[in-house]
Amino acid sequence: MSIESFMQTLVFGVFVGGIYGIAAMGLALVFGVLKMLNIAHGELLMLGGYATFWAFRSFGMDPFVSLAIGIPILFAVGLALDRTVYHRIVRLLGEEKIKNSLLVSFGLTLVIQNLAVWLFTADERTVQVAYAGTGLNLLGVTLPYTRLLALGIALVTTLALSYFLHRTYPGKAILGTAEDFEAAELAGINIHRVYMLTFALGASLAAIAGTLVTVIYGISPSIGIVWTLKALIVIVLAGTGSILGAFPAGILLGVVEATSGAFIGSTYREVIGLVIFLLVLVLRPQGLFGRNQ
Amino acid sequence: MKEMTLTKRTKLSVFRWLPQAGIILLILIAIFFPRLVDKQNTWNIFFLICLHITLGQSWNILAGFAGQTSLGHAAFFGIGALVTRILWLSGTPFALAFLVGGLAAVTFGMIIGAPTFRLRGAYFAIGTLGVAEVLRITVSQNLPLISSMSGPLIAAYNLPARYYLALGLAIATTGAAYLLLRSPWSLGILAVREDEGAAQATGVHVLRHKLLALSLSSFFAGLAGGLFAFQQISYYPSAPFSPLWTFDALLITFIGGLGTLAGPVIGAIFFILVREQLAVNLVEIHQVIFGILFILIVLIFPGGLVEAWERLKRIFLTTKDTKVTKD
């Protein structure tokens, strides 16, 4: 393999990894604060992707601009899901909570996916922007504009979330609740409002990831569970409890997948994520950026 | 004049022998009913019920008894189907292919179970979900063509024989679950479900008990997959890896009653009969209905039909102390 094609593979790994990072961040946020694992996160991502697709199809809106529509829609979906389903689980304790969240969100995965097939048909949809196919050429390595933009948005989102969590009042309330919900409640934080806000924020992050996925890969109702899986692997890699660590961990997964996929053949590329998952559990169960418990 | 207290139960003893009678009746129906009707459709429905009893019961052994939530039961089912199909179609005797399929599923179970069971939390669920999805995608990319039985095999195809194999497997799986509950292992397994830390503290080897439940569970799920591979004339090799198989196992167990022997049996009968109706009338959204039903059961009535029955029994069987006067 020439240096150039290796570099190209590496760069594409970074691009893909940025999306993995954003897809995982929403899940990590919900997991870190509500201590629930939302298997339906990928389905929220899929819904976000459809919001982008319809904005593009109906109004010719640029997919990156349509985030302004997709994010509020998914924020509302997140609020609704929290009110109807998840707030019943968040009251449970410990193992019972995580187990029930797994079961319920797995059921929800099926519901949302089949509703999407019913509403949007099972066809794969793509968004073709005018500047697709064009890009920068840097020392023989192609950097398509859509992917550069996607990576940029992923990065900006990570920084914005970091600012929100560490520098603003509601953000600090979220982190405080993640740390110790009883102490947070004693300090006067309305933790149920925090849970609701966090879940809706997680759904909004899924909307961003869904838009990026739609622009770069296209979308169909069945993609949800695949992205849930990527997000779960990234979370384990980053370390459960590390929210912002999802971004570098996502990039790492993207790069490792891309480079090793070039060696073992792309049809076996999916296996790598699973191997990484198992290796991390055996060698470093607290993850790369997680705190030692 | 003496007063004595009699506990009146005799009247409603019907509730006590009903389960035994029900089991015998169920087996008799399972053996003779399809033979009497002898329609393709009836054989098929009975086959599906038995396949789903096996699938549900195998999930129940792991999640209901040992408390370990697997979200990738389709992986075990799929591996059983894949291995059995490949071996069988390439000329291995079916019985051997069937057994190897089950053992292959156990092998994959151990690969996921050994590292994830050491940690608490959701790692096992993530691992099983991961292995199922990764296998589904990898199999569909590497074996994209439909797998069909050869001409001579189709000519010799005998659905009733396959049904009786399925019935045997359903009884064997439920029997194994029963024996497991009667064995000395059951105390450890149930202790792990109730409180892992306390089990560990009282000297239960937690990992070993989890792995025991997992190996039984994955073995029967793998055999169920082998049965699927034996019954289907043609299917895409990635089809048995679909997350829908996992969902079916979950739903069946929860409809019937998680952690009970009868649960998956009742759940499977209910599920298949209702699904056959819904799939005809509401093709597109019957999965949505099942999904919502499942969420409602988990959130509101996690005991399922067995729990409903127990409650009913309690209402009628409350021992009434009656005073009887004797001269």
Side-chain angles (χ1 to χ4, degrees), chain A residues 25-26 28-30 32-34 156-179 189 194 197-199 201-202 205 241-246 291:
Chain A
M25 209 174 292
L29 180 68
V30 171
V33 180
L34 284 80
V156 168
T157 308
T158 310
L159 294 175
L161 186 68
S162 170
Y163 179 83
F164 173 73
L165 289 178
H166 294 113
R167 295 274 178 275
T168 68
Y169 234 77
K172 285 178 182 172
I174 288 176
L175 284 186
T177 310
E179 193 90 15
I189 294 171
V194 167
L197 175 68
T198 307
F199 195 84
L201 265 181
L205 286 167
S242 168
I243 297 164
L244 298 168
R291 263 163 297 177

Side-chain angles (χ1 to χ4, degrees), chain A residues 31 37 39 84-86 88-89 95 98-100 102-115 117-118 222 225-226 228-229 232-233 236 239-240 266-274 277-278 281-282 285-286, chain B residues 59 63 67-69 71 111-112 115-116 119-131 133-134 136-138 141-142 193 196 243-244 246-247 250 254 258 284-285 287-292 294-295 298-300 302:
Chain A
F31 183 58
L37 210 44
I39 301 292
T84 49
V85 180
Y86 287 98
R88 289 168 193 280
I89 303 166
E95 292 274 301
I98 191 114
K99 222 179 265 177
N100 274 292
L102 285 168
L103 293 170
V104 166
S105 57
F106 191 70
L108 207 58
T109 301
L110 190 76
V111 172
I112 299 178
Q113 187 186 328
N114 282 286
L115 274 180
V117 172
W118 187 51
S222 60
I225 195 160
V226 177
T228 301
L229 188 66
L232 286 171
I233 292 170
V236 169
T240 51
S266 63
T267 54
Y268 288 98
R269 216 186 50 174
E270 300 296 326
V271 180
I272 296 155
L274 193 69
F277 168 79
L278 293 177
L281 288 192
V282 173
Q286 74 272 29
Chain B
W59 191 77
Q68 305 304 311
T69 310
L71 290 183
I111 292 174
I112 296 301
T116 53
L119 305 159
R120 292 217 203 155
Y123 293 105
F124 177 65
I126 302 176
T128 47
L129 181 72
V131 80
E133 277 305 294
V134 166
R136 181 178 66 83
I137 297 167
T138 309
Q141 281 172 346
N142 291 289
R193 173 185 76 185
E196 213 178 304
L244 277 178
T246 304
F247 180 74
L250 265 70
F254 270 90
L258 179 70
E284 264 140 359
I285 56 171
Q287 293 290 2
V288 176
I289 296 172
F290 277 125
I292 293 173
F294 174 71
I295 293 170
V298 173
L299 285 179
I300 296 165

